[in-house]
Amino acid sequence: MTSLPAPRFLPVFVLALAVATGCRSAASPSLESPVQARMLGHFALAMDLRIFIVNGDLERLRITGEELSVAEETWGMPPGSGPYLEMVRSAALRAAEAVDMETASRAVADVALACGACHLANQTTLGERFQVAAPLLTDPATRHTNFLSWVSRLLWDGVLGPSEAMWHTGAGALAAGEGVPPPRASFVPQDEILRSAETLKGLGVEAVVAVDAEARAQILADVWLECASCHTQAGVR
């Protein structure tokens, strides 16, 4: 199983601010308000946490979690945002202190959950503006990576947006089962490949019917944990 590359697809609001693609793109300081800059910073760190958990890189995940957990000013944020920012920091701190992948995975999913709760409370309709390009599946060498990276991103956007459209697109694709192509890595045992594919399909079936935000965050964490488990076995970072 190969390592998931940093996704190159960003929500519309990030594209508009950054005027570029890539998970670490930064908008010109002259074009940003303090709030926009803060949200872009949160998004970039949350994106890094997602990549590190999928790759099973607990060390780098803990460093990034510590960075996101640092307290900051709430000046300029919408009224009532303070508790949600504290939820983000608390989840990030749990990621920073995690000693196993299961704890870390749920903590990272809870970062997205807290962001989504704040977006929903402030009626940003952010999730409705998310766009994620379809994966390229014609190349056997990258089909596995591209498909699961795409699904992971859709589910993540579904929680973080929140976005019903993103969540159900990702859930449906994962539940289809046959949409999960086998990895090219020959050092991953065949029985492990089959077991992982069945586990992911089962999580997709759960995701299709999940309506509660907490339940969706747990499914998202379980999807990441499954990917991390296989990547760890394969020695991928």
Side-chain angles (χ1 to χ4, degrees), residues 198-225:
E198 283 302 308
T199 298
L200 289 172
K201 179 180 178 180
L203 289 170
V205 172
E206 291 181 31
V208 168
V209 298
V211 295
D212 178 73
E214 287 277 354
R216 290 181 175 184
Q218 184 60 60
I219 292 170
L220 178 60
D222 289 342
V223 169
W224 287 340
L225 190 61

Side-chain angles (χ1 to χ4, degrees), residues 10-33:
L10 289 180
V12 171
F13 87 107
V14 174
L15 291 176
L17 290 172
V19 199
T21 57
C23 67
R24 274 296 194 177
S25 297
S28 168
S30 63
L31 300 179
E32 292 178 358
S33 72

Side-chain angles (χ1 to χ4, degrees), residues 74-111:
T74 58
W75 176 85
M77 299 296 291
S81 296
Y84 297 104
L85 290 173
E86 185 55 39
M87 288 167 60
V88 170
R89 289 193 288 264
S90 177
L93 183 59
R94 284 192 283 117
E97 296 175 344
V99 296
D100 58 72
M101 295 304 297
E102 184 174 359
T103 302
S105 185
R106 181 56 209 238
V108 175
D110 282 348
V111 169

Side-chain angles (χ1 to χ4, degrees), residues 132-154:
V132 179
L136 179 65
L137 301 178
T138 55
D139 183 357
T142 60
R143 186 167 182 258
H144 172 81
T145 295
N146 289 346
F147 176 81
L148 288 181
S149 179
W150 174 69
V151 166
S152 171
R153 179 57 190 269
L154 287 169

Side-chain angles (χ1 to χ4, degrees), residues 119-120 122-130 161-162:
H119 298 157
L120 192 62
N122 285 287
Q123 300 180 331
T124 65
T125 66
L126 182 62
E128 297 175 11
R129 291 174 274 162
F130 279 171

